[in-house]
Amino acid sequence: MLEIKNLNAGIEDKDILKGIDLKVNAGEVHAIMGPNGSGKSTLSSVIAGKEEYEVNGGDIIFEGESILELDAEERAHQGVFLSFQYPVEIPGVSVTNFIKTAINETRKAKGLEDMPASDMLKMIREKSELLEIDRKFLSRSLNEGFSGGEKKRNEIFQMAMLEPKLAILDETDSGLDIDALRIVSNGVNKLRSKDNAVIVITHYQRLLEYIVPDFVHVLVDGKIVKSGGKELALELEEKGYDWVKAELTA
Amino acid sequence: MAYTEDDLEKELATKEYKYGFYTDIESETFPVGLNEDIVRAISKKKEEPEWMTEWRIEAFRHWQTLEEPEWANVHYEKPNFQNISYYSAPSKKPKYDSLDEVDPELLDTFKRLGISLDEQKKLAGVAVDVVMDSVSVTTTFKKTLAEKGIIFCSISEAIKEHPELVKKYIGTVVPKTDNFYAALNSAVFSDGSFCYIPKGVRCPMELSTYFRINQAGTGQFERTLVVADEGSYVSYLEGCTAPSRDENQLHAAVVELIALDDAEIKYSTVQNWYPGNDEGKGGVYNFVTKRGLCEKNAKISWTQVETGSAVTWKYPSCVLKGDNSIGEFYSIAVTNNFQQADTGTKMIHLGKNTKSTIISKGISAGQSQNSYRGLVQINGRAENARNFSQCDSLLMGNKCGAHTFPYIEAKNKSAKVEHEATTSKIGEDQIFYCNQRGIDTEKAIALIVNGFSKEVLNKLPMEFAVEAQKLLEISLEGSVG
């Protein structure tokens, strides 16, 4: 589904990603872990197509085709979803209105008519139940005055509504208490299928107890320095990132 | 607008609102220039009674003593008032033949606004008094209104048919000597609308008037007078579109509202005149005087969405004369490219327990300048007067300007006056967030702008709100590179 080949990217003159290789197949969950400043969020932004980042080499292949030349919204239309670490506020735009616009713009890009309001309503009801979201919440302005947990739950709600092929969860666990973490993770797990894939970007192993990855990759200084199964996360938790770094220099 | 699940449900049942109009009419146009003879000729052409002619002449003589005001935060080449034709009337009945004759750009705009040209008749619930180039050509739904004793007609017709009402109220809120443009309008007003709601009557439909400027070089001087008698209610909509012109066109309208004891008037405007091209050439000069008078327990609510015109100078105001009267002003002003807007309101509190609310949303893009100018005046005998003002500005890009000029004069110690102001900028992070969800940049801006304007859009009648939203989108197209 996703193949990243020798990806080099940075912002202004600063190189951040220094040759990333990663292959994600449908049905898989990959975790990307790493210390602060290792390039985790840059990687997610570059995959999603944030303009400020410059790709200096390599390629990102999604569903068999390079998406480097595509705008962020075009990548979204193809099925790439990014759950933001810091979701932005849009005052005066309700969650319902926002998600309706997102769905219909995506449909429009595919040459489809707007989703009938009755279908939309049904879907909103199903997905908000799945994520234990109070429907009053959906009338509030997007992320305005939301708690950390509400923001993240809202991200996963949007993911549920948009049904992406590839979901990248950028530090979705940050700012979550244990209950919110459970609800968000349950939501993600219920949405997993053999046809979609998830990349979980996290600093801590905690989230991976709930969303169990098939593969774990360790990102240090813009490179994936170690890959393994889910037990790698536990090992990291125990020994710390210094252990990987030490192994590298050894 | 606040879009909730309930709205979604409603949307299932809601029909889309569409309307449109078009005429291509040979005009009878006066020679350019202005003098007493022209003023008399206009009056004669309209078969007005002597008192009306004299009233115009007095206004004209006063106008000659006035200077064009320069205090507004706008810069433009002053119109040459001797180079304007002051009368242009359709010489034949309107024809609705072929669309091929219409400026395709205008048609395109209509299309994108969702206005279909053959649906006007279907407009149940909205009575339309179309003002085309100064003379009111058609008036519909008159009969339904007449059954309730409501008078809704062109002002020329009212001068002929209901002279006692016109004579009693015209110029009582905006005196013919009020200001430069009001005096000019009083002298040469070509047509406009008149509306009278009798005592205790609640007008069953939204009254609408659509103004257009059709002929190049003909200034439009509309005069509107709305009188709501004791205990009555009316909601009045005014919407404008104008075709593209290279020359600057002058528009100097006067709107007077009179709400007698316990009456309520809701006056909504969507203004979309040609703003000039993206280099700042052409566009309409919009110098408008709008004012309402509230008697005891009366309420006047102004709602405006201003997206058009090269230069706007407009302050819909309320004189809260009666005790317990209420004035409201809800405004969205959008400026893009080289547009300049200096707009706001005046709330004059004279009576006891009078209340006013001002919500102003300014959106500036391109190299435009957008100013809010407001006066809240609490007079000596206005015990317990209250005002709340909120002025928010949204900036797009680095070359535009937002300015706020709030004036507060309180001469009564019991007054409570609150003023809040914010300025924000559409951020790249907001845009990227929307992009990531599949919403392109243009649509993202529209979404953010609509959210910003929500409090005002919510005050518009439903069908107007839909159009206004689309208008905001179109007005800001191409404003982010």
Side-chain angles (χ1 to χ4, degrees), chain A residues 50 52 72-73 76-77 80-82 84 88-94 97-98 100-102 105 117-118 121 125 135 139 155 158, chain B residues 1-6 8-9 11-12 428-430 432-441 443 447-448 450-452 454 469:
Chain A
K50 193 168 187 179
E52 289 95 302
E73 65 269 21
H77 298 155
V80 175
F81 180 91
L82 170 61
F84 283 70
V88 302
E89 295 179 5
I90 305 184
V93 177
S94 68
N97 190 15
F98 185 76
K100 172 180 176 257
T101 307
E105 287 297 300
S118 55
L121 200 60
R125 286 184 176 153
R135 292 223 298 278
S139 304
E155 292 292 286
Q158 291 182 43
Chain B
M1 291 166 69
Y3 196 95
T4 63
E5 229 182 290
D6 289 343
L8 243 179
E9 261 173 300
E11 198 181 284
L12 287 170
E428 281 171 6
D429 285 349
Q430 278 176 318
F432 177 61
Y433 187 86
C434 294
N435 289 162
Q436 207 298 307
R437 299 296 139 93
I439 302 167
D440 68 25
T441 302
K443 188 80 188 172
L447 196 67
I448 295 166
N450 277 325
F452 172 77
K454 183 189 72 175
Q469 242 176 334

Coordinates of all heavy atoms in Angstrom, one line a residue, chain A residues 50 52 72-73 76-77 80-82 84 88-94 97-98 100-102 105 117-118 121 125 135 139 155 158, chain B residues 1-6 8-9 11-12 428-430 432-441 443 447-448 450-452 454 469:
Chain A
K50 N 2.5 18.3 3.5 CA 2.6 19.6 4.0 C 3.7 20.4 3.2 O 4.8 19.9 3.0 CB 3.0 19.6 5.5 CG 2.8 21.0 6.1 CD 2.8 21.0 7.6 CE 2.5 22.3 8.1 NZ 2.5 22.4 9.6
E52 N 5.4 23.1 3.5 CA 6.7 23.7 4.0 C 7.9 22.8 3.9 O 9.0 23.2 3.9 CB 6.5 24.1 5.5 CG 5.6 25.3 5.7 CD 4.2 24.9 6.0 OE1 3.6 24.2 5.2 OE2 3.7 25.2 7.1
A72 N -1.8 18.2 -0.8 CA -2.3 17.5 0.4 C -3.7 17.0 0.2 O -4.0 15.9 0.6 CB -2.2 18.4 1.6
E73 N -4.6 17.8 -0.3 CA -6.0 17.4 -0.5 C -6.1 16.2 -1.4 O -7.0 15.4 -1.2 CB -6.9 18.6 -0.8 CG -6.7 19.2 -2.2 CD -5.8 20.3 -2.1 OE1 -4.9 20.4 -1.2 OE2 -5.8 21.2 -3.1
A76 N -5.3 13.2 0.4 CA -6.4 12.8 1.3 C -7.5 12.1 0.4 O -8.0 11.1 0.9 CB -7.0 14.1 1.9
H77 N -7.7 12.6 -0.8 CA -8.8 12.0 -1.6 C -8.4 10.6 -1.9 O -9.2 9.7 -2.1 CB -8.9 12.8 -2.9 CG -9.4 14.2 -2.7 ND1 -9.2 15.2 -3.6 CD2 -10.1 14.8 -1.7 CE1 -9.7 16.3 -3.1 NE2 -10.3 16.1 -2.0
V80 N -5.3 9.0 2.2 CA -4.3 9.1 3.3 C -4.9 10.0 4.4 O -5.4 11.1 4.1 CB -3.0 9.8 2.7 CG1 -2.0 10.1 3.8 CG2 -2.4 9.0 1.6
F81 N -4.8 9.6 5.6 CA -5.4 10.4 6.7 C -4.3 10.6 7.8 O -3.6 9.6 8.1 CB -6.6 9.6 7.3 CG -7.2 10.3 8.5 CD1 -8.2 11.2 8.3 CD2 -6.7 10.1 9.8 CE1 -8.8 11.9 9.3 CE2 -7.3 10.8 10.8 CZ -8.3 11.7 10.6
L82 N -4.2 11.8 8.2 CA -3.3 12.1 9.3 C -4.1 12.6 10.5 O -4.8 13.6 10.5 CB -2.3 13.2 8.9 CG -1.4 13.8 9.9 CD1 -0.5 12.7 10.5 CD2 -0.5 14.9 9.3
F84 N -3.8 14.5 13.7 CA -2.8 15.5 14.1 C -2.4 15.4 15.5 O -3.2 15.1 16.4 CB -3.3 16.9 13.8 CG -3.2 17.3 12.3 CD1 -4.1 16.7 11.4 CD2 -2.4 18.3 11.9 CE1 -4.1 17.1 10.1 CE2 -2.3 18.6 10.6 CZ -3.2 18.1 9.6
V88 N -6.0 21.8 14.9 CA -6.2 23.2 14.9 C -7.7 23.5 15.2 O -8.6 22.7 15.0 CB -5.8 23.9 13.6 CG1 -4.4 23.7 13.3 CG2 -6.7 23.5 12.5
E89 N -7.9 24.7 15.7 CA -9.3 25.2 16.0 C -9.8 25.9 14.8 O -9.1 26.7 14.1 CB -9.3 26.2 17.2 CG -8.9 25.6 18.5 CD -8.8 26.5 19.6 OE1 -9.2 27.7 19.4 OE2 -8.4 26.1 20.7
I90 N -11.1 25.7 14.5 CA -11.7 26.6 13.5 C -13.0 27.1 14.1 O -14.0 26.4 14.1 CB -12.0 25.8 12.1 CG1 -10.7 25.2 11.6 CG2 -12.6 26.7 11.1 CD1 -10.8 24.4 10.3
P91 N -13.0 28.3 14.6 CA -14.1 28.9 15.3 C -15.3 29.0 14.4 O -15.2 29.3 13.2 CB -13.6 30.3 15.7 CG -12.2 30.2 15.7 CD -11.8 29.2 14.6
G92 N -16.5 28.7 14.9 CA -17.7 28.9 14.2 C -18.0 27.7 13.2 O -19.1 27.7 12.6
V93 N -17.1 26.8 13.0 CA -17.4 25.6 12.1 C -17.6 24.4 13.0 O -16.7 24.0 13.7 CB -16.2 25.4 11.2 CG1 -16.5 24.2 10.3 CG2 -16.0 26.6 10.3
S94 N -18.8 23.9 12.9 CA -19.1 22.7 13.8 C -18.4 21.5 13.3 O -18.1 21.4 12.1 CB -20.6 22.5 13.9 OG -21.1 22.0 12.6
N97 N -20.4 20.0 10.5 CA -20.3 20.8 9.2 C -18.9 20.5 8.6 O -18.8 20.3 7.4 CB -20.4 22.3 9.4 CG -20.5 23.1 8.2 OD1 -20.7 22.5 7.1 ND2 -20.3 24.4 8.3
F98 N -17.9 20.4 9.4 CA -16.5 20.2 8.9 C -16.4 18.8 8.3 O -16.0 18.6 7.1 CB -15.5 20.3 10.1 CG -14.1 20.2 9.6 CD1 -13.5 21.2 8.9 CD2 -13.4 19.0 9.8 CE1 -12.2 21.1 8.5 CE2 -12.1 18.9 9.3 CZ -11.5 19.9 8.7
K100 N -18.8 16.9 7.2 CA -19.7 16.9 6.0 C -18.9 17.5 4.8 O -19.0 16.9 3.7 CB -21.0 17.7 6.3 CG -21.9 17.8 5.1 CD -23.1 18.6 5.5 CE -24.0 18.9 4.4 NZ -23.9 20.3 3.9
T101 N -18.3 18.6 5.0 CA -17.5 19.3 3.9 C -16.4 18.3 3.4 O -16.2 18.2 2.2 CB -17.0 20.6 4.4 OG1 -18.0 21.4 5.0 CG2 -16.3 21.4 3.3
A102 N -15.7 17.8 4.4 CA -14.6 16.9 4.1 C -15.0 15.7 3.2 O -14.4 15.4 2.2 CB -13.9 16.4 5.3
E105 N -16.3 17.0 -0.3 CA -15.2 17.4 -1.2 C -14.4 16.2 -1.7 O -14.0 16.2 -2.9 CB -14.2 18.3 -0.4 CG -14.8 19.7 -0.1 CD -15.1 20.5 -1.4 OE1 -14.1 20.7 -2.2 OE2 -16.2 20.9 -1.6
A117 N -28.0 13.4 2.8 CA -28.0 13.8 4.2 C -28.5 12.7 5.1 O -27.9 12.5 6.2 CB -28.9 15.0 4.4
S118 N -29.4 11.8 4.6 CA -29.8 10.7 5.5 C -28.7 9.7 5.7 O -28.6 9.2 6.9 CB -31.1 10.0 4.8 OG -30.7 9.6 3.5
L121 N -26.2 11.3 8.1 CA -26.7 11.3 9.5 C -26.6 9.9 10.1 O -26.1 9.8 11.3 CB -28.2 11.7 9.4 CG -28.9 12.2 10.7 CD1 -28.1 13.4 11.2 CD2 -30.3 12.5 10.4
R125 N -24.2 8.9 13.3 CA -24.7 8.2 14.5 C -23.9 7.0 14.8 O -23.5 6.7 16.0 CB -26.2 7.9 14.3 CG -27.0 9.1 14.4 CD -28.5 8.9 14.3 NE -29.2 10.1 14.5 CZ -30.4 10.4 14.1 NH1 -31.1 9.5 13.4 NH2 -30.9 11.6 14.3
R135 N -23.4 13.3 21.2 CA -23.7 13.9 19.9 C -23.8 15.5 20.1 O -23.6 16.2 19.1 CB -24.9 13.4 19.3 CG -24.6 11.9 18.8 CD -25.2 11.7 17.4 NE -26.6 11.8 17.4 CZ -27.5 10.8 17.8 NH1 -27.0 9.7 18.3 NH2 -28.7 11.0 17.8
S139 N -21.9 19.4 17.6 CA -22.4 20.8 17.2 C -21.5 21.8 17.7 O -21.6 23.0 17.3 CB -23.8 21.0 17.9 OG -24.7 20.0 17.6
E155 N -10.3 13.6 16.2 CA -9.5 13.1 15.1 C -9.9 11.7 14.7 O -10.0 11.5 13.5 CB -8.0 13.2 15.5 CG -7.5 14.6 15.7 CD -7.4 15.4 14.5 OE1 -6.5 15.1 13.6 OE2 -8.2 16.3 14.3
Q158 N -13.2 11.6 12.9 CA -13.1 12.0 11.5 C -12.5 10.9 10.7 O -12.9 10.6 9.5 CB -12.2 13.3 11.4 CG -12.8 14.5 11.9 CD -12.0 15.7 11.8 OE1 -11.4 15.9 10.7 NE2 -11.9 16.5 12.8
Chain B
M1 N -22.3 29.3 9.2 CA -23.4 29.1 10.0 C -23.2 27.9 11.0 O -22.5 27.0 10.6 CB -24.7 28.7 9.2 CG -25.1 29.9 8.4 SD -26.3 29.4 7.2 CE -27.7 28.9 8.2
A2 N -23.8 27.9 12.0 CA -23.7 26.7 12.9 C -24.4 25.6 12.3 O -25.6 25.6 12.0 CB -24.4 27.1 14.3
Y3 N -23.7 24.6 11.9 CA -24.3 23.5 11.2 C -24.3 22.3 12.1 O -23.3 21.8 12.5 CB -23.5 23.2 9.9 CG -24.3 22.4 9.0 CD1 -25.0 22.9 8.0 CD2 -24.3 21.0 9.1 CE1 -25.8 22.2 7.1 CE2 -25.1 20.2 8.3 CZ -25.8 20.8 7.3 OH -26.5 20.1 6.4
T4 N -25.5 21.9 12.5 CA -25.6 20.9 13.5 C -26.3 19.7 12.8 O -26.7 19.7 11.7 CB -26.4 21.3 14.7 OG1 -27.7 21.6 14.2 CG2 -25.8 22.5 15.4
E5 N -26.4 18.6 13.6 CA -27.0 17.4 13.1 C -28.5 17.7 12.8 O -29.1 17.2 11.8 CB -27.0 16.4 14.3 CG -26.5 15.1 13.8 CD -26.6 14.1 15.0 OE1 -25.7 14.3 15.9 OE2 -27.4 13.3 15.0
D6 N -29.1 18.6 13.6 CA -30.5 19.0 13.3 C -30.6 19.6 12.0 O -31.5 19.4 11.2 CB -31.0 20.0 14.4 CG -31.2 19.3 15.8 OD1 -31.2 18.1 15.8 OD2 -31.2 20.1 16.8
L8 N -28.7 19.1 9.5 CA -28.6 18.0 8.5 C -29.9 17.4 8.2 O -30.3 17.2 7.1 CB -27.7 17.0 9.1 CG -26.4 16.7 8.3 CD1 -25.6 15.7 9.0 CD2 -26.6 16.3 6.9
E9 N -30.6 17.2 9.3 CA -32.0 16.6 9.2 C -32.9 17.5 8.4 O -33.6 17.1 7.5 CB -32.5 16.3 10.6 CG -32.4 14.8 10.9 CD -32.8 14.5 12.4 OE1 -32.2 15.1 13.3 OE2 -33.7 13.7 12.5
E11 N -32.0 19.7 6.3 CA -31.6 19.8 4.9 C -32.3 18.8 4.0 O -32.5 19.0 2.9 CB -30.1 19.6 4.9 CG -29.5 20.1 3.6 CD -28.0 19.8 3.5 OE1 -27.3 20.6 4.2 OE2 -27.6 18.9 2.8
L12 N -32.7 17.7 4.6 CA -33.4 16.7 3.9 C -34.7 17.2 3.3 O -35.1 16.9 2.2 CB -33.8 15.5 4.8 CG -32.6 14.6 5.2 CD1 -33.1 13.7 6.3 CD2 -32.1 13.8 4.0
E428 N -1.6 29.1 8.2 CA -1.3 28.0 7.3 C -1.6 26.7 7.9 O -2.0 25.7 7.2 CB 0.3 28.0 7.0 CG 0.6 29.1 6.0 CD 2.1 29.3 5.9 OE1 2.9 28.5 6.6 OE2 2.5 30.2 5.2
D429 N -1.5 26.6 9.2 CA -1.9 25.4 9.9 C -3.4 25.0 9.7 O -3.7 23.8 9.6 CB -1.5 25.4 11.4 CG 0.0 25.3 11.6 OD1 0.7 25.0 10.7 OD2 0.4 25.6 12.8
Q430 N -4.2 26.1 9.8 CA -5.6 25.8 9.6 C -5.9 25.3 8.2 O -6.6 24.4 8.0 CB -6.4 27.1 9.8 CG -6.7 27.4 11.2 CD -7.4 28.8 11.3 OE1 -7.1 29.7 10.7 NE2 -8.5 28.8 12.2
F432 N -3.7 23.8 6.2 CA -3.2 22.4 6.0 C -4.1 21.4 6.6 O -4.3 20.3 6.1 CB -1.8 22.3 6.6 CG -1.2 20.9 6.4 CD1 -1.0 20.3 5.2 CD2 -0.9 20.2 7.6 CE1 -0.5 19.0 5.1 CE2 -0.4 18.9 7.5 CZ -0.2 18.3 6.2
Y433 N -4.6 21.7 7.8 CA -5.5 20.8 8.4 C -6.7 20.5 7.5 O -7.1 19.3 7.3 CB -6.0 21.4 9.7 CG -6.8 20.5 10.6 CD1 -6.2 19.6 11.5 CD2 -8.2 20.5 10.5 CE1 -7.0 18.8 12.3 CE2 -9.0 19.7 11.4 CZ -8.4 18.8 12.2 OH -9.1 18.0 13.0
C434 N -7.3 21.5 6.9 CA -8.4 21.3 6.0 C -8.0 20.5 4.8 O -8.7 19.6 4.4 CB -9.0 22.6 5.6 SG -9.8 23.6 6.9
N435 N -6.8 20.9 4.2 CA -6.3 20.2 3.0 C -6.2 18.7 3.3 O -6.6 17.8 2.5 CB -4.9 20.7 2.7 CG -4.9 22.1 2.1 OD1 -3.9 22.7 2.0 ND2 -6.0 22.6 1.6
Q436 N -5.7 18.4 4.5 CA -5.4 17.0 4.9 C -6.7 16.2 4.9 O -6.8 15.0 4.7 CB -4.7 16.9 6.2 CG -3.9 15.7 6.4 CD -4.7 14.4 6.4 OE1 -5.6 14.3 7.1 NE2 -4.3 13.5 5.5
R437 N -7.8 16.9 5.2 CA -9.1 16.2 5.2 C -9.8 16.3 3.9 O -11.0 16.1 3.8 CB -10.0 16.9 6.3 CG -9.5 16.8 7.7 CD -9.3 15.3 8.2 NE -8.1 15.1 8.9 CZ -7.9 15.2 10.2 NH1 -8.9 15.5 11.0 NH2 -6.7 15.0 10.7
G438 N -9.1 16.7 2.8 CA -9.6 16.6 1.5 C -10.3 17.9 1.0 O -10.9 17.9 0.0
I439 N -10.1 18.9 1.8 CA -10.7 20.2 1.5 C -9.7 21.1 0.9 O -8.7 21.4 1.5 CB -11.3 20.8 2.8 CG1 -12.3 19.9 3.4 CG2 -12.0 22.2 2.5 CD1 -12.7 20.3 4.8
D440 N -9.9 21.5 -0.4 CA -8.9 22.4 -1.0 C -8.8 23.8 -0.4 O -9.7 24.1 0.4 CB -9.0 22.4 -2.5 CG -10.3 23.1 -3.0 OD1 -10.7 24.0 -2.3 OD2 -10.7 22.8 -4.1
T441 N -7.8 24.5 -0.8 CA -7.5 25.8 -0.1 C -8.7 26.8 -0.2 O -9.1 27.4 0.8 CB -6.2 26.4 -0.6 OG1 -5.2 25.4 -0.3 CG2 -5.8 27.6 0.2
K443 N -11.8 26.2 -0.7 CA -13.0 25.8 0.1 C -12.7 25.9 1.6 O -13.5 26.3 2.4 CB -13.2 24.3 -0.3 CG -14.5 23.7 0.4 CD -15.7 24.2 -0.4 CE -17.0 23.7 0.3 NZ -18.2 24.3 -0.3
L447 N -14.8 28.0 4.3 CA -15.2 27.4 5.5 C -14.8 28.2 6.7 O -15.7 28.5 7.6 CB -14.6 26.0 5.6 CG -15.2 25.0 6.6 CD1 -16.6 24.6 6.1 CD2 -14.3 23.7 6.7
I448 N -13.6 28.6 6.8 CA -13.1 29.4 7.9 C -13.8 30.8 8.0 O -14.2 31.2 9.0 CB -11.6 29.6 7.8 CG1 -10.9 28.2 7.9 CG2 -11.1 30.6 8.8 CD1 -9.4 28.2 7.5
N450 N -16.8 31.5 6.7 CA -18.2 31.3 7.1 C -18.3 31.1 8.6 O -19.2 31.5 9.2 CB -18.8 30.1 6.4 CG -19.3 30.5 5.0 OD1 -19.8 31.6 4.8 ND2 -19.1 29.6 4.0
G451 N -17.3 30.3 9.2 CA -17.3 30.1 10.6 C -17.2 31.5 11.4 O -17.9 31.8 12.3
F452 N -16.3 32.3 10.8 CA -16.0 33.6 11.4 C -17.2 34.5 11.4 O -17.5 35.3 12.3 CB -14.8 34.2 10.6 CG -14.5 35.6 11.0 CD1 -13.8 35.9 12.1 CD2 -14.9 36.6 10.1 CE1 -13.5 37.3 12.4 CE2 -14.6 38.0 10.4 CZ -13.9 38.3 11.6
K454 N -20.4 33.5 11.2 CA -21.5 32.7 11.6 C -22.6 33.6 12.4 O -23.8 33.5 12.0 CB -21.1 31.5 12.4 CG -22.2 30.6 12.8 CD -21.7 29.6 13.8 CE -21.5 30.3 15.2 NZ -21.1 29.3 16.2
Q469 N -23.7 33.1 1.9 CA -22.5 32.2 2.1 C -21.8 32.0 0.8 O -20.6 32.0 0.8 CB -23.1 30.9 2.6 CG -22.5 30.5 4.0 CD -23.1 29.3 4.5 OE1 -24.2 28.9 4.1 NE2 -22.4 28.6 5.3

